[in-house]
Amino acid sequence: MRIGELARRSGVSERSLRYYEAQGLLTSERTPGGQRDFGEWAVDRVIRIQALYAAGLTSKKIGRLLPCMRDTDGAPSAIATPRLVEELHAERERIDRTIADLVRSRDVLDEVISAASSVFPTGLRAEAPSAVG
């Protein structure tokens, strides 16, 4: 499939797909005319890359992990190693810390909302200051 179709099916821009290819995260064949030609597997691969980016992994770390993961379901491939498991545990712990930080931030925001809501009657909102200039 051409890069435009892969972009459409995966929901990722063509520019991002080119970046993934430049980083070694995605590979393609070339047509006789020099256009990229991706296999069906590429859709699952791109979705997996997006999920790993969303989890906060860098392209370098994703590049180390992808060869150890199956594209179709993300399960370990035959070449997964104990080191991969250690890295994944470390990433999970980092994500857990980030979640805990976000929950604390949300709790503080809830307290501020509650305090501010008691000052203003229900349904009324304070008007934002107007910009001068």
Side-chain angles (χ1 to χ4, degrees), residues 59-80:
S59 58
K60 184 176 180 179
K61 186 159 285 200
I62 292 170
R64 287 198 318 270
L65 295 178
L66 281 176
C68 301
M69 300 171 73
R70 293 191 308 241
D71 287 321
T72 54
D73 60 5
S77 71
I79 63 170

Side-chain angles (χ1 to χ4, degrees), residues 52-130:
L52 293 169
Y53 271 127
L57 277 70
T58 64
S59 58
K60 184 176 180 179
K61 186 159 285 200
I62 292 170
R64 287 198 318 270
L65 295 178
L66 281 176
C68 301
M69 300 171 73
R70 293 191 308 241
D71 287 321
T72 54
D73 60 5
S77 71
I79 63 170
T81 65
R83 181 178 172 114
L84 169 67
V85 174
E86 289 175 22
E87 286 187 39
L88 292 173
H89 277 293
E91 286 301 323
R92 188 177 196 296
E93 289 169 5
R94 182 192 57 77
I95 291 168
D96 285 343
R97 287 189 303 274
T98 300
I99 290 169
D101 291 343
L102 289 170
V103 167
R104 281 191 293 278
S105 296
R106 185 189 61 201
D107 290 346
V108 169
L109 183 59
D110 285 344
E111 290 174 16
V112 172
I113 290 169
S114 178
S117 295
S118 67
V119 173
F120 299 105
T122 304
L124 296 179
R125 296 182 187 257
E127 293 192 26
S130 60

Side-chain angles (χ1 to χ4, degrees), residues 1 11 13-14 23 29 32 36-37 47-48 62 64 76 85-86 89 91 97 100 123 128-130 133:
M1 92 186 72
S13 71
E14 290 181 24
Q23 296 296 307
E29 300 294 322
R36 290 172 175 86
D37 188 27
I47 291 169
R48 181 89 44 235
I62 292 170
R64 287 198 318 270
V85 174
E86 289 175 22
H89 277 293
E91 286 301 323
R97 287 189 303 274
S130 60

